[in-house]
Amino acid sequence: MTASPPRFDKSRLPSRHVSVGPERAPHRSYYYAMGMSEDEIARPFVAIASAGNDSAPCNTTLDAQADICRQGVEQGGGTPRRFNTITVTDGIAMGHQGMKASLVSREVIADSIELSVRGHCYDALVGFAGCDKSLPGMMMAMLRLNVPSIFVYGGSILPGRFEDHDVTVVDVFEAVGQHAAGNCPLARLTALEKVACPGHGACGGQFTANTMACVGEAIGLSLPNSNMAPAPYKSREEIAIAAGRQVMDLLARNLRPRDICTRAAFENAARVVAATGGSTNAALHLPAMANECGIEFDLFDVAEIFKSTPYVADLKPGGQYVAKDMHDAGGVYMVMKTLLDGGLLDPSPMTVTGRTLGENIEEVTWNPDQKVIHAFSAPLSATGGVVGLKGSLAPDGAIVKVAGMDRLQFSGPARVFECEEDAFAAVEARTIEDGSVIVIRNEGPKGGPGMREMLATTAALYGQGMGEKVALITDGRFSGATRGFCIGHVGPEAAEGGPIALVEDGDIISIDAEAGTIDLAVSADVLAARHERWERRPTEYGSGALWRYAQNVGPASKGAITHPGAVAETRCYADI
């Protein structure tokens, strides 16, 4: 005989406001209209948030996974209530004005989930996300609301196959540069674009989506070894059901996201980003997530951790393998096991399993036969795959991804562009000289607005064979797929009159990713005189979401956040 689901006392849960007592009869009438029974209305209401849509393959399986999650919620004694949020898919928004919407969408995603949960008084949350900004946006909402929550990644795409090699969408971006340089016939480019992305799932390398999927496990919000399973795998259904069941256990324990995501948990997450050669975007998203908890954790905190973390996972774009290979090798927990063995991981933070990270890792056996994840004693490099920089060009910091790079120092004359389009046109026209330091400004959070990624430009450079011959600096940001000497998040940004706004063609810029410095060889007196003449570039956005974002967004070093976070909170939603 099957045991009946556990009962919950709703007297302290948010959903009591919409389902308990004679005064809530009108509210209950809506639930009866949707076919719910009296018993279902009496159970806790669990939000299942999906970022599913037809915008890109990253998101196309999410709604199905979210619907399967209902089974687990019901098995655990809850009533599932699914809703959707938006996404902006970077691979499609890349290289044009649409990219201004990408980082802004992170805030819209977090806000929309918050408002839906608040408005309908849901008691717990399971979130499904697949594309870059939807992952941190979903986790930010969980931390902001602080109801028992589990984050589920929809899974990565399988690698494409072209000319007997595994390929990803980055190969297509780089082939565009090769075509412009006359080294890739149009027929070859067309053949590649048709096979690079063979089905459902997010970009396969250690780009932003997979980086933040690793963060979900490392920070304790995802079930162990759940996020690296590719989107087409049948195991994703089992993961969805397990997440629904487990969130009910968290609700019974009243174990909340801020109990899980402590300062130590954020430090663990930063370690995993560095160890996997992850996306520089993590240096934006981790501070933004910490803000939702009331934890001070900025770019410099992240960079300090990156500096002392070895690079151990041989993943694209700096390495050889993709997310599927990492999953087959043992997943995120295999990475964390080697970091724990080296004394670089704190085992004490709690996780959504109800056990500590260390207790979860104890169940993992090291796989000596796999080649993707190196032992702590034999890393790919002693320093993590991502490095923080600071100096006269970036007093508020900058960041660079060095995974797979041989050259860690660069010095050369500036070639200044006022926006990405101008730089891309110069790259396509092949007017960039070897040894140049390309400066793209007015692309920061405020100045863009929206802090665009520059993958189209960096990939075109690499495709032309210029990737190791020039450096690129911007107050915007880079895709996790970017490779080469590319420095982003330079602060203060140009729109705030930072030093990057004052650079002129020919100024010598020196970068040392080993020492962590980025300097402009121009005297303070000359910079002061330039600042006197400087005028802020007018924005083309006088209304709408981009205007509103520009009015509220803070510096990249703090995560490009738009509100004070939990530090200013007087009452948490979960306690209403």
Side-chain angles (χ1 to χ4, degrees):
M1 182 177 175
T2 304
S4 59
R7 305 292 296 180
F8 288 82
D9 176 10
K10 293 185 78 168
S11 66
R12 294 185 180 276
L13 296 180
S15 64
R16 73 187 185 278
H17 295 296
V18 297
S19 62
V20 175
E23 69 278 14
R24 303 308 179 199
H27 306 68
R28 288 191 295 273
S29 71
Y30 278 68
Y31 300 129
Y32 287 122
M34 291 183 282
M36 290 171 63
S37 68
E38 188 174 346
D39 179 63
E40 288 170 326
I41 296 169
R43 296 181 178 204
F45 291 171
V46 177
I48 301 178
S50 169
N53 54 50
D54 295 340
S55 299
C58 334
N59 309 314
T60 45
T61 68
L62 296 178
D63 285 351
Q65 292 185 46
D67 282 338
I68 291 167
C69 177
R70 295 173 190 263
Q71 297 177 32
V73 171
E74 290 166 350
Q75 290 167 13
T79 295
R81 312 309 299 152
R82 205 200 90 189
F83 65 87
N84 281 58
T85 186
I86 69 155
T87 62
V88 172
T89 299
D90 289 9
I92 292 174
M94 194 72 68
H96 56 87
Q97 293 288 309
M99 180 49 75
K100 292 180 186 289
S102 172
L103 187 58
V104 181
S105 76
R106 184 190 72 181
E107 313 311 305
V108 174
I109 290 163
D111 291 350
S112 66
I113 295 167
E114 176 197 356
L115 293 176
S116 191
V117 170
R118 280 187 183 276
H120 302 107
C121 295
Y122 294 140
D123 302 316
L125 172 61
V126 183
F128 290 79
C131 200
D132 294 4
K133 307 308 168 293
S134 60
L135 281 78
M138 192 75 70
M139 288 187 275
M140 285 164 66
M142 292 173 175
L143 293 164
R144 186 183 303 175
L145 293 160
N146 205 30
V147 291
S149 302
I150 293 180
F151 172 74
V152 185
Y153 179 44
S156 73
I157 199 168
L158 293 171
R161 197 74 181 165
F162 184 70
E163 295 178 348
D164 213 27
H165 289 91
D166 282 352
V167 291
T168 70
V169 70
V170 177
D171 294 279
V172 187
F173 274 103
E174 292 183 1
V176 170
Q178 293 167 1
H179 175 67
N183 298 325
C184 177
L186 182 59
R188 183 176 182 274
L189 176 61
T190 302
L192 173 60
E193 74 181 61
K194 290 180 177 178
V195 298
C197 301
H200 301 290
C203 298
Q206 194 64 346
F207 314 148
T208 304
N210 283 324
T211 297
M212 296 310 295
C214 290
V215 164
E217 291 192 38
I219 212 163
L221 287 177
S222 297
L223 295 173
N225 277 339
S226 61
N227 287 346
M228 287 297 102
Y233 279 23
K234 188 73 174 173
S235 60
R236 296 237 60 92
E237 295 183 8
E238 298 163 13
I239 291 164
I241 294 170
R245 239 187 345 254
Q246 186 59 25
V247 84
M248 298 309 299
D249 183 66
L250 297 180
L251 187 59
R253 296 167 179 250
N254 194 30
L255 182 58
R256 301 178 176 185
R258 293 185 201 170
D259 301 327
I260 290 167
C261 296
T262 60
R263 169 83 188 204
F266 277 98
E267 292 175 356
N268 284 343
R271 293 260 183 229
V272 169
V273 172
T276 58
S279 169
T280 54
N281 281 312
L284 274 177
H285 302 323
L286 286 172
M289 289 168 61
N291 179 61
E292 304 290 356
C293 304
I295 296 172
E296 283 284 336
F297 194 68
D298 63 16
L299 171 65
F300 299 112
D301 296 313
V302 174
E304 196 61 33
I305 292 165
F306 286 171
K307 190 188 302 181
S308 59
T309 308
Y311 172 40
V312 297
D314 191 8
L315 298 169
K316 289 178 179 285
Q320 303 179 65
Y321 300 103
V322 295
K324 169 192 173 293
D325 302 315
M326 182 165 156
H327 172 68
D328 294 343
V332 182
Y333 267 76
M334 194 66 70
V335 174
M336 292 196 289
K337 184 174 183 65
T338 194
L339 291 177
L340 183 63
D341 288 347
L344 287 186
L345 211 67
D346 188 330
S348 67
M350 186 58 66
T351 72
V352 292
T353 64
R355 302 188 301 273
T356 66
L357 189 72
E359 288 170 332
N360 291 342
I361 293 174
E362 281 178 9
E363 298 181 3
V364 176
T365 303
W366 177 256
N367 178 1
D369 299 323
Q370 54 84 28
K371 299 178 181 179
V372 182
I373 303 160
H374 290 222
F376 187 85
S377 57
L380 289 156
S381 66
T383 303
V386 184
V387 173
L389 306 173
K390 191 175 184 179
S392 61
L393 183 57
D396 285 355
I399 199 155
V400 61
K401 187 171 185 174
V402 298
M405 283 173 52
D406 296 322
R407 184 178 184 180
L408 298 180
Q409 290 82 26
F410 199 103
S411 184
R415 176 79 185 276
V416 181
F417 298 93
E418 301 298 337
C419 65
E420 184 193 8
E421 283 85 355
D422 292 351
F424 185 76
V427 171
E428 280 214 306
R430 309 207 73 189
T431 63
I432 305 292
E433 295 182 5
D434 290 5
S436 299
V437 179
I438 301 167
V439 177
I440 305 176
R441 61 191 178 200
N442 302 303
E443 296 287 4
K446 282 186 182 294
M451 205 178 182
R452 285 195 288 181
E453 289 184 354
M454 308 289 169
L455 177 60
T457 302
T458 60
L461 282 167
Y462 231 96
Q464 292 177 6
M466 296 282 285
E468 304 293 336
K469 298 174 182 178
V470 298
L472 194 155
I473 294 172
T474 181
D475 52 5
R477 59 194 177 89
F478 294 110
S479 165
T482 289
R483 56 179 177 152
F485 222 134
C486 299
I487 295 93
H489 307 196
V490 169
E493 63 172 293
E496 300 284 21
I500 192 172
L502 310 177
V503 180
E504 295 183 358
D505 284 343
D507 289 347
I508 300 300
I509 296 173
S510 298
I511 308 141
D512 189 331
E514 201 164 21
T517 58
I518 178 168
D519 290 304
L520 177 64
V522 176
S523 71
D525 289 345
V526 172
L527 285 179
R530 290 181 186 178
H531 196 273
E532 283 293 315
R533 301 191 302 269
W534 173 77
E535 293 181 3
R536 181 176 284 106
R537 194 168 187 244
T539 180
E540 297 176 355
Y541 298 90
S543 65
L546 293 178
W547 177 87
R548 187 184 305 115
Y549 181 82
Q551 309 313 304
N552 293 299
V553 70
S557 62
K558 300 288 186 183
I561 54 178
T562 57
H563 70 109
V567 71
E569 189 179 77
T570 57
R571 191 178 192 188
C572 172
Y573 162 77
D575 295 324
I576 63 170

Short mmCIF file of all heavy atoms in Angstrom, two decimals, residues 110-149:
data_model
loop_
_atom_site.label_atom_id
_atom_site.label_comp_id
_atom_site.label_asym_id
_atom_site.label_seq_id
_atom_site.Cartn_x
_atom_site.Cartn_y
_atom_site.Cartn_z
N ALA A 110 14.71 37.87 -12.68
CA ALA A 110 14.63 37.83 -11.22
C ALA A 110 13.39 38.57 -10.72
O ALA A 110 12.65 38.07 -9.85
CB ALA A 110 15.89 38.42 -10.59
N ASP A 111 13.13 39.75 -11.29
CA ASP A 111 11.97 40.54 -10.87
C ASP A 111 10.66 39.83 -11.19
O ASP A 111 9.73 39.83 -10.39
CB ASP A 111 11.99 41.91 -11.55
CG ASP A 111 13.12 42.81 -11.07
OD1 ASP A 111 13.79 42.46 -10.09
OD2 ASP A 111 13.34 43.87 -11.70
N SER A 112 10.58 39.24 -12.38
CA SER A 112 9.32 38.61 -12.79
C SER A 112 9.00 37.40 -11.92
O SER A 112 7.84 37.17 -11.57
CB SER A 112 9.36 38.22 -14.26
OG SER A 112 10.31 37.19 -14.50
N ILE A 113 10.03 36.63 -11.56
CA ILE A 113 9.81 35.48 -10.69
C ILE A 113 9.40 35.96 -9.30
O ILE A 113 8.46 35.43 -8.69
CB ILE A 113 11.07 34.60 -10.63
CG1 ILE A 113 11.35 33.98 -11.99
CG2 ILE A 113 10.91 33.49 -9.57
CD1 ILE A 113 12.72 33.35 -12.13
N GLU A 114 10.10 36.97 -8.80
CA GLU A 114 9.74 37.54 -7.50
C GLU A 114 8.28 37.97 -7.48
O GLU A 114 7.52 37.66 -6.55
CB GLU A 114 10.63 38.74 -7.18
CG GLU A 114 10.22 39.44 -5.88
CD GLU A 114 10.78 40.84 -5.72
OE1 GLU A 114 11.56 41.28 -6.58
OE2 GLU A 114 10.40 41.51 -4.73
N LEU A 115 7.85 38.70 -8.52
CA LEU A 115 6.51 39.25 -8.53
C LEU A 115 5.44 38.16 -8.65
O LEU A 115 4.39 38.24 -8.01
CB LEU A 115 6.36 40.26 -9.66
CG LEU A 115 7.20 41.53 -9.50
CD1 LEU A 115 7.07 42.43 -10.72
CD2 LEU A 115 6.81 42.30 -8.24
N SER A 116 5.73 37.14 -9.45
CA SER A 116 4.76 36.05 -9.58
C SER A 116 4.62 35.29 -8.26
O SER A 116 3.50 34.96 -7.84
CB SER A 116 5.18 35.11 -10.70
OG SER A 116 4.13 34.20 -11.00
N VAL A 117 5.75 35.01 -7.60
CA VAL A 117 5.70 34.30 -6.33
C VAL A 117 5.02 35.16 -5.26
O VAL A 117 4.17 34.68 -4.51
CB VAL A 117 7.12 33.88 -5.89
CG1 VAL A 117 7.12 33.35 -4.46
CG2 VAL A 117 7.67 32.81 -6.84
N ARG A 118 5.40 36.44 -5.20
CA ARG A 118 4.77 37.34 -4.21
C ARG A 118 3.26 37.46 -4.45
O ARG A 118 2.45 37.36 -3.52
CB ARG A 118 5.40 38.73 -4.30
CG ARG A 118 6.73 38.90 -3.62
CD ARG A 118 7.14 40.37 -3.64
NE ARG A 118 8.44 40.59 -3.05
CZ ARG A 118 8.68 40.72 -1.73
NH1 ARG A 118 7.66 40.67 -0.89
NH2 ARG A 118 9.90 40.92 -1.30
N GLY A 119 2.89 37.69 -5.69
CA GLY A 119 1.49 37.94 -6.00
C GLY A 119 0.59 36.75 -5.72
O GLY A 119 -0.58 36.92 -5.35
N HIS A 120 1.13 35.54 -5.87
CA HIS A 120 0.31 34.34 -5.69
C HIS A 120 0.64 33.59 -4.40
O HIS A 120 0.06 32.54 -4.14
CB HIS A 120 0.48 33.42 -6.91
CG HIS A 120 0.10 34.09 -8.19
ND1 HIS A 120 1.04 34.49 -9.12
CD2 HIS A 120 -1.10 34.49 -8.67
CE1 HIS A 120 0.41 35.09 -10.13
NE2 HIS A 120 -0.87 35.11 -9.88
N CYS A 121 1.56 34.14 -3.61
CA CYS A 121 1.89 33.60 -2.27
C CYS A 121 2.31 32.13 -2.32
O CYS A 121 1.79 31.29 -1.60
CB CYS A 121 0.70 33.78 -1.32
SG CYS A 121 0.33 35.51 -0.96
N TYR A 122 3.30 31.85 -3.18
CA TYR A 122 3.80 30.49 -3.25
C TYR A 122 4.77 30.21 -2.10
O TYR A 122 5.45 31.11 -1.60
CB TYR A 122 4.49 30.25 -4.60
CG TYR A 122 3.53 30.31 -5.78
CD1 TYR A 122 3.90 30.92 -6.97
CD2 TYR A 122 2.26 29.73 -5.69
CE1 TYR A 122 3.03 30.97 -8.05
CE2 TYR A 122 1.39 29.77 -6.77
CZ TYR A 122 1.77 30.40 -7.95
OH TYR A 122 0.91 30.44 -9.01
N ASP A 123 4.84 28.94 -1.71
CA ASP A 123 5.57 28.54 -0.50
C ASP A 123 6.98 28.04 -0.79
O ASP A 123 7.83 28.02 0.12
CB ASP A 123 4.81 27.41 0.21
CG ASP A 123 3.40 27.82 0.59
OD1 ASP A 123 3.23 28.95 1.09
OD2 ASP A 123 2.48 27.01 0.37
N ALA A 124 7.24 27.61 -1.99
CA ALA A 124 8.55 27.06 -2.36
C ALA A 124 8.71 27.26 -3.87
O ALA A 124 7.75 27.64 -4.56
CB ALA A 124 8.64 25.58 -1.99
N LEU A 125 9.92 27.00 -4.36
CA LEU A 125 10.22 27.31 -5.75
C LEU A 125 11.20 26.30 -6.32
O LEU A 125 12.23 26.01 -5.72
CB LEU A 125 10.81 28.73 -5.83
CG LEU A 125 11.37 29.22 -7.16
CD1 LEU A 125 10.30 29.26 -8.24
CD2 LEU A 125 12.00 30.61 -6.98
N VAL A 126 10.87 25.77 -7.50
CA VAL A 126 11.82 25.01 -8.31
C VAL A 126 11.96 25.77 -9.62
O VAL A 126 10.95 26.08 -10.27
CB VAL A 126 11.35 23.57 -8.58
CG1 VAL A 126 12.41 22.82 -9.37
CG2 VAL A 126 11.04 22.85 -7.28
N GLY A 127 13.19 26.12 -9.99
CA GLY A 127 13.41 26.93 -11.18
C GLY A 127 14.20 26.19 -12.24
O GLY A 127 15.23 25.57 -11.94
N PHE A 128 13.73 26.27 -13.49
CA PHE A 128 14.39 25.63 -14.64
C PHE A 128 14.89 26.71 -15.59
O PHE A 128 14.11 27.55 -16.06
CB PHE A 128 13.41 24.73 -15.38
CG PHE A 128 13.02 23.49 -14.61
CD1 PHE A 128 12.07 23.55 -13.60
CD2 PHE A 128 13.61 22.27 -14.89
CE1 PHE A 128 11.71 22.42 -12.89
CE2 PHE A 128 13.27 21.14 -14.17
CZ PHE A 128 12.32 21.20 -13.17
N ALA A 129 16.18 26.71 -15.87
CA ALA A 129 16.77 27.71 -16.76
C ALA A 129 17.79 27.05 -17.67
O ALA A 129 18.37 26.02 -17.33
CB ALA A 129 17.42 28.82 -15.94
N GLY A 130 18.03 27.67 -18.84
CA GLY A 130 18.95 27.08 -19.78
C GLY A 130 19.91 28.04 -20.43
O GLY A 130 20.98 27.64 -20.88
N CYS A 131 19.55 29.32 -20.53
CA CYS A 131 20.38 30.27 -21.26
C CYS A 131 21.04 31.25 -20.30
O CYS A 131 20.50 31.57 -19.24
CB CYS A 131 19.52 31.01 -22.28
SG CYS A 131 20.48 31.78 -23.59
N ASP A 132 22.17 31.78 -20.71
CA ASP A 132 23.12 32.49 -19.85
C ASP A 132 22.53 33.26 -18.67
O ASP A 132 22.79 32.96 -17.52
CB ASP A 132 23.95 33.46 -20.69
CG ASP A 132 24.85 32.74 -21.67
OD1 ASP A 132 24.77 31.51 -21.74
OD2 ASP A 132 25.63 33.40 -22.36
N LYS A 133 21.75 34.31 -18.94
CA LYS A 133 21.30 35.20 -17.86
C LYS A 133 20.14 34.62 -17.07
O LYS A 133 19.83 35.09 -15.98
CB LYS A 133 20.93 36.58 -18.41
CG LYS A 133 22.02 37.23 -19.25
CD LYS A 133 23.36 37.25 -18.55
CE LYS A 133 24.49 37.61 -19.49
NZ LYS A 133 24.78 36.62 -20.53
N SER A 134 19.47 33.61 -17.64
CA SER A 134 18.35 33.02 -16.91
C SER A 134 18.82 32.21 -15.72
O SER A 134 18.08 32.05 -14.74
CB SER A 134 17.49 32.16 -17.84
OG SER A 134 18.22 31.11 -18.41
N LEU A 135 20.06 31.73 -15.75
CA LEU A 135 20.57 30.96 -14.60
C LEU A 135 20.79 31.86 -13.39
O LEU A 135 20.19 31.63 -12.33
CB LEU A 135 21.84 30.20 -14.97
CG LEU A 135 21.67 28.90 -15.76
CD1 LEU A 135 21.38 29.16 -17.23
CD2 LEU A 135 22.90 28.01 -15.62
N PRO A 136 21.62 32.90 -13.48
CA PRO A 136 21.77 33.77 -12.31
C PRO A 136 20.46 34.48 -11.97
O PRO A 136 20.16 34.69 -10.78
CB PRO A 136 22.84 34.77 -12.73
CG PRO A 136 22.86 34.74 -14.22
CD PRO A 136 22.51 33.32 -14.58
N GLY A 137 19.65 34.86 -12.99
CA GLY A 137 18.37 35.51 -12.70
C GLY A 137 17.48 34.64 -11.85
O GLY A 137 16.84 35.10 -10.89
N MET A 138 17.42 33.36 -12.17
CA MET A 138 16.60 32.41 -11.42
C MET A 138 17.13 32.26 -9.99
O MET A 138 16.35 32.28 -9.02
CB MET A 138 16.61 31.06 -12.14
CG MET A 138 15.59 30.06 -11.66
SD MET A 138 13.90 30.39 -12.19
CE MET A 138 13.96 30.05 -13.94
N MET A 139 18.44 32.11 -9.85
CA MET A 139 19.01 31.94 -8.51
C MET A 139 18.91 33.22 -7.69
O MET A 139 18.72 33.17 -6.47
CB MET A 139 20.45 31.44 -8.62
CG MET A 139 20.54 29.99 -9.09
SD MET A 139 22.22 29.27 -9.05
CE MET A 139 22.86 29.81 -10.63
N MET A 140 19.02 34.38 -8.33
CA MET A 140 18.84 35.65 -7.62
C MET A 140 17.44 35.73 -7.04
O MET A 140 17.24 36.18 -5.90
CB MET A 140 19.11 36.82 -8.56
CG MET A 140 20.59 37.04 -8.85
SD MET A 140 20.88 38.10 -10.30
CE MET A 140 20.21 39.67 -9.73
N ALA A 141 16.44 35.30 -7.80
CA ALA A 141 15.06 35.31 -7.31
C ALA A 141 14.90 34.40 -6.10
O ALA A 141 14.22 34.75 -5.13
CB ALA A 141 14.10 34.91 -8.42
N MET A 142 15.52 33.23 -6.16
CA MET A 142 15.44 32.30 -5.03
C MET A 142 16.02 32.92 -3.77
O MET A 142 15.44 32.82 -2.67
CB MET A 142 16.19 31.01 -5.38
CG MET A 142 15.54 30.20 -6.48
SD MET A 142 16.56 28.80 -7.00
CE MET A 142 15.43 28.01 -8.17
N LEU A 143 17.18 33.55 -3.92
CA LEU A 143 17.84 34.16 -2.76
C LEU A 143 17.06 35.38 -2.25
O LEU A 143 17.02 35.65 -1.05
CB LEU A 143 19.27 34.56 -3.13
CG LEU A 143 20.19 33.37 -3.43
CD1 LEU A 143 21.44 33.82 -4.17
CD2 LEU A 143 20.56 32.63 -2.15
N ARG A 144 16.44 36.11 -3.15
CA ARG A 144 15.66 37.29 -2.78
C ARG A 144 14.40 36.89 -2.02
O ARG A 144 14.06 37.48 -1.00
CB ARG A 144 15.29 38.07 -4.04
CG ARG A 144 14.60 39.39 -3.78
CD ARG A 144 14.20 40.06 -5.10
NE ARG A 144 15.34 40.28 -5.99
CZ ARG A 144 15.24 40.76 -7.23
NH1 ARG A 144 14.04 41.06 -7.72
NH2 ARG A 144 16.31 40.93 -7.97
N LEU A 145 13.70 35.88 -2.52
CA LEU A 145 12.45 35.45 -1.90
C LEU A 145 12.70 34.64 -0.63
O LEU A 145 11.94 34.70 0.33
CB LEU A 145 11.66 34.60 -2.89
CG LEU A 145 11.13 35.36 -4.12
CD1 LEU A 145 10.80 34.38 -5.24
CD2 LEU A 145 9.92 36.19 -3.75
N ASN A 146 13.77 33.83 -0.68
CA ASN A 146 14.22 33.00 0.45
C ASN A 146 13.19 31.97 0.89
O ASN A 146 13.16 31.57 2.06
CB ASN A 146 14.63 33.88 1.64
CG ASN A 146 15.63 33.18 2.55
OD1 ASN A 146 16.42 32.35 2.09
ND2 ASN A 146 15.59 33.49 3.84
N VAL A 147 12.36 31.52 -0.03
CA VAL A 147 11.54 30.34 0.25
C VAL A 147 12.36 29.11 -0.15
O VAL A 147 13.27 29.21 -0.99
CB VAL A 147 10.22 30.35 -0.55
CG1 VAL A 147 9.30 31.45 -0.04
CG2 VAL A 147 10.45 30.46 -2.05
N PRO A 148 12.10 27.95 0.44
CA PRO A 148 12.84 26.75 0.05
C PRO A 148 12.83 26.58 -1.48
O PRO A 148 11.77 26.66 -2.11
CB PRO A 148 12.07 25.63 0.75
CG PRO A 148 11.53 26.30 1.99
CD PRO A 148 11.15 27.67 1.54
N SER A 149 14.01 26.39 -2.04
CA SER A 149 14.15 26.44 -3.50
C SER A 149 15.20 25.45 -3.99
O SER A 149 16.17 25.17 -3.29
CB SER A 149 14.58 27.85 -3.95
OG SER A 149 13.67 28.84 -3.54
#
